[in-house]
Amino acid sequence: MVVVVTRDVADRFRGFLASAMLEIAPGVYTAPRMSAGVRERVWAVLADWFQSLGGGSIVMTWRDLREP
């Protein structure tokens, strides 16, 4: 399961995340079955936009099956 939490970010982040994940609360997105490739692409887009736009915060967490 992948979870992304945003705070004080531009609307484009919310629209993009809502197109790939379910928004379960304002600024909180989840995807129960997101592949590693999709997760990495989503993070790359978010990181690129964050670097150009700045402001707020973004956190992504996911379960790593290789870890206990």
Side-chain angles (χ1 to χ4, degrees), residues 42-61:
V42 167
W43 184 253
V45 170
L46 296 176
D48 183 51
W49 288 354
F50 189 80
Q51 185 175 7
S52 4
L53 300 173
S57 66
I58 305 170
V59 175
M60 178 185 276
T61 63

Side-chain angles (χ1 to χ4, degrees), residues 18-51:
S19 73
M21 304 174 81
L22 177 64
E23 186 173 15
I24 59 173
V28 180
Y29 303 86
T30 185
R33 292 182 199 93
M34 183 178 280
S35 71
V38 172
R39 182 186 73 231
E40 290 168 5
R41 177 66 180 138
V42 167
W43 184 253
V45 170
L46 296 176
D48 183 51
W49 288 354
F50 189 80
Q51 185 175 7

